[in-house]
């Protein structure tokens, strides 16, 4: 398709776990839309342009291969891509702050601000800017202020919130057949028009009733709350698993019994070592910080307890291993099958496996780890952060 034949041009800033798969599915379902994923990392872009993708997700490679070079492109030409785009997604990492105000809880939105400044610097025509990263409430307002303060004469921006609700391991199906797509925008004629432009992209393969539109603040907060509630279910059943072990009850039978209640449902009720991944803990801590910021200390402590229970479960699992081996594992060889935080992914961020391995190593065990999707260097890197 010639460059002039595209009905819409999309730029995604950030070639990570969210940006890559999301843009691939958009490109696959919208052949009249040009989608370009940009990143400052030549290594990351090089991997996306190969068949050895930088992330593992079932079905992702096949979709990328079907659209790459047709209407989907991966590039380090950030300025040129921003200049020609109609819609710009910001899909960059927003890690928990490690120092300063809110350290250990608040999200660091520095990368979002840098993207906004770059957009304002380059854009010579009106743009729709979409928050895809998980961000604190009112980040869109901050992004809009940055854009407005640095915009070139006559250039205007509409900022939307379009949070992702993906589960690693099933992300491609989540994108192709989502339970819902959420789009938040300003409730002005210009804002509503921008919302409709983005909604029309998703509507090419998603039924309109599943595309929910709301205001910016509700959209931003919905993502944090969704992850907090899911994590809460995991911590709830894990707390019951400890009670079951003390009383000889079977936690799997309890999960089945309560999960058959349609008001509860069976999902996220399997007892485990604890939740991991890049989202749950980070988003709950962000929610805790928001509650504290607004003086809602009881609410903050309520959600913080979900994190505390998760830490307790991981430590309890490690101690059970030691207890079952005559209270000493010094010098004993222990095999660990699986290092990623869940099956069908290579993501090791906040994986419970790393915390268990750390505890076993502290007890001077010889730990041997196998995971077909995780490289040895990545395992050691994660252990160094744990």
């Amino acid at each position: 398709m010639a460059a002039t034949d595209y009905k819409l041009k999309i730029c995604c800033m950030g070639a990570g776990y969210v940006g890559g798969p999301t843009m691939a599915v958009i490109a696959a379902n919208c052949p009249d839309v040009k989608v370009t994923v940009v990143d400052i990392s030549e290594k990351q872009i090089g991997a996306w342009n190969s068949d050895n993708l930088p992330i593992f997700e079932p079905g992702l490679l096949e979709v990328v291969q079907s659209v790459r070079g047709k209407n989907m492109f991966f590039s380090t030409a950030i300025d040129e891509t921003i200049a020609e785009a109609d819609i710009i997604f910001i899909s960059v990492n927003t890690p928990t702050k490690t120092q300063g105000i809110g350290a250990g809880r608040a999200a660091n939105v520095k990368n979002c601000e840098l993207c906004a400044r770059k957009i304002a610097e380059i854009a010579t025509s009106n743009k729709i800017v979409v928050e895809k990263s998980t961000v604190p409430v009112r980040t869109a307002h901050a992004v809009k202020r940055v854009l407005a303060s640095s915009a070139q004469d006559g250039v205007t921006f509409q900022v939307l919130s379009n949070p992702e609700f993906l589960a690693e391991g099933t992300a491609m199906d989540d994108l192709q057949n989502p339970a819902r797509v959420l789009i938040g925008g300003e409730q002005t004629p210009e804002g509503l028009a921008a919302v409709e432009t983005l909604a029309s992209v998703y509507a090419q393969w998603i039924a309109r009733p599943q595309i929910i539109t709301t205001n910016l603040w509700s959209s931003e907060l919905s993502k944090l709350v969704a992850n907090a509630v899911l994590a809460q279910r995991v911590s709830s059943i894990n707390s019951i698993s400890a009670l079951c072990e003390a009383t000889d009850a079977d936690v799997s039978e309890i999960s089945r019994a309560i999960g058959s209640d349609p008001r509860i449902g069976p999902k996220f009720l399997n007892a485990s070592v604890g939740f991991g991944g890049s989202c749950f803990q980070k988003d709950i801590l962000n929610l805790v910080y928001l509650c504290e910021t607004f003086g809602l200390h009881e609410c903050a402590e309520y959600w913080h307890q979900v994190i505390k229970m998760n830490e307790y479960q991981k430590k309890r699992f490690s101690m059970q291993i030691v207890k079952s081996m005559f209270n000493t594992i010094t010098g004993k060889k222990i095999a660990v099958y699986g290092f990623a935080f869940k099956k069908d992914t290579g993501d090791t961020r906040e994986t419970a496996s790393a915390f268990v391995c750390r505890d076993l190593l502290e007890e001077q065990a010889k730990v041997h780890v196998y995971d077909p999707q995780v490289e040895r260097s990545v395992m050691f890197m994660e252990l160094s952060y744990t």
Side-chain angles (χ1 to χ4, degrees):
M1 181 177 289
T4 55
D5 293 335
Y6 293 112
K7 291 184 179 178
L8 204 64
K9 294 179 181 178
I10 292 176
C11 166
C12 177
M13 302 179 74
Y17 278 90
V18 174
T22 301
M23 294 303 115
V25 171
I26 289 177
N29 287 283
C30 307
D32 56 350
V33 175
K34 180 182 179 182
V35 179
T36 306
V37 180
V38 298
D39 201 286
I40 60 174
S41 171
E42 293 184 1
K43 180 181 178 181
Q44 188 84 345
I45 293 299
W48 279 109
N49 280 319
S50 72
D51 289 337
N52 185 24
L53 302 185
I55 65 173
F56 173 76
E57 191 67 40
L60 174 59
L61 177 60
E62 292 77 9
V63 174
V64 170
Q65 289 175 329
S66 71
V67 293
R68 191 172 54 201
K70 298 177 181 177
N71 69 319
M72 184 174 193
F73 306 89
F74 297 93
S75 174
T76 56
I78 298 174
D79 292 8
E80 294 89 333
T81 306
I82 290 174
E84 72 170 15
D86 303 296
I87 301 176
I88 302 171
F89 283 81
I90 296 178
S91 184
V92 292
N93 192 23
T94 53
T96 302
K97 292 180 68 175
T98 58
Q99 57 187 9
I101 299 173
R105 298 188 182 185
N108 189 337
V109 296
K110 176 190 72 174
N111 293 330
C112 290
E113 180 184 339
L114 291 174
C115 286
R117 293 193 182 282
K118 172 59 72 172
I119 294 168
E121 174 193 343
I122 300 300
T124 57
S125 59
N126 298 344
K127 311 287 184 187
I128 297 173
V129 178
V130 183
E131 290 178 342
K132 199 67 179 173
S133 304
T134 302
V135 294
V137 179
R138 290 195 169 275
T139 298
H141 180 65
V143 169
K144 190 172 180 64
R145 286 179 59 194
V146 170
L147 291 169
S149 65
S150 306
Q152 299 187 34
D153 291 343
V155 177
T156 61
F157 300 95
Q158 287 299 318
V159 179
L160 305 181
S161 168
N162 177 217
E164 52 86 13
F165 296 100
L166 308 180
E168 290 186 46
T170 60
M172 300 308 288
D173 185 60
D174 295 339
L175 287 164
Q176 188 64 41
N177 304 290
R180 80 292 202 195
V181 171
L182 182 62
I183 304 174
E186 291 187 318
Q187 303 302 289
T188 62
E190 296 80 10
L192 294 173
V195 168
E196 176 55 31
T197 298
L198 182 57
S200 67
V201 173
Y202 287 114
Q204 294 198 46
W205 79 95
I206 300 168
R208 279 284 181 168
Q210 291 170 258
I211 302 174
I212 303 171
T213 60
T214 183
N215 63 57
L216 278 170
W217 326 131
S218 297
S219 178
E220 290 177 330
L221 187 55
S222 291
K223 173 58 192 289
L224 298 182
V225 174
N227 278 342
V229 171
L230 293 174
Q232 179 192 46
R233 286 172 67 94
V234 176
S235 281
S236 293
I237 198 63
N238 281 344
S239 72
I240 298 303
S241 73
L243 181 60
C244 286
E245 290 170 22
T247 59
D248 291 329
D250 187 334
V251 70
S252 63
E253 292 299 314
I254 292 175
S255 295
R256 186 163 66 93
I258 66 174
S260 63
D261 187 330
R263 296 170 301 173
I264 299 174
K267 293 186 177 180
F268 286 83
L269 286 180
N270 290 320
S272 64
V273 188
F275 58 77
S278 64
C279 293
F280 280 6
Q281 177 159 313
K282 182 187 74 171
D283 291 353
I284 293 174
L285 290 172
N286 196 347
L287 186 61
V288 168
Y289 179 69
L290 282 172
C291 292
E292 289 176 341
T293 299
F294 290 106
L296 304 172
H297 300 293
E298 290 79 6
C299 299
E301 183 54 34
Y302 174 84
W303 288 110
H304 197 214
Q305 191 62 39
V306 175
I307 297 291
K308 291 180 179 178
M309 180 54 62
N310 197 52
E311 297 300 318
Y312 165 76
Q313 183 76 348
K314 289 183 286 189
K315 177 61 71 173
R316 194 173 72 85
F317 185 83
S318 300
M319 293 304 99
Q320 286 283 65
I321 294 175
V322 176
K323 182 179 178 181
S324 68
M325 300 181 75
F326 309 105
N327 291 315
T328 178
I329 57 174
T330 300
K332 294 179 180 178
K333 183 176 179 178
I334 299 178
V336 177
Y337 289 93
F339 194 80
F341 84 93
K342 62 183 289 189
K343 69 176 184 178
D344 290 331
T345 182
D347 193 352
T348 64
R349 289 175 289 182
E350 297 294 338
T351 175
S353 184
F355 290 90
V356 173
C357 288
R358 178 203 63 190
D359 293 342
L360 299 181
L361 289 170
E362 289 178 351
E363 292 291 328
Q364 300 180 37
K366 296 179 180 179
V367 182
H368 293 246
V369 185
Y370 173 75
D371 192 308
Q373 299 300 336
V374 182
E375 296 180 358
R376 177 186 175 94
S377 60
V378 175
M379 292 182 186
F380 279 111
M381 184 182 300
E382 188 63 33
L383 282 169
S384 70
Y385 292 138
T386 302

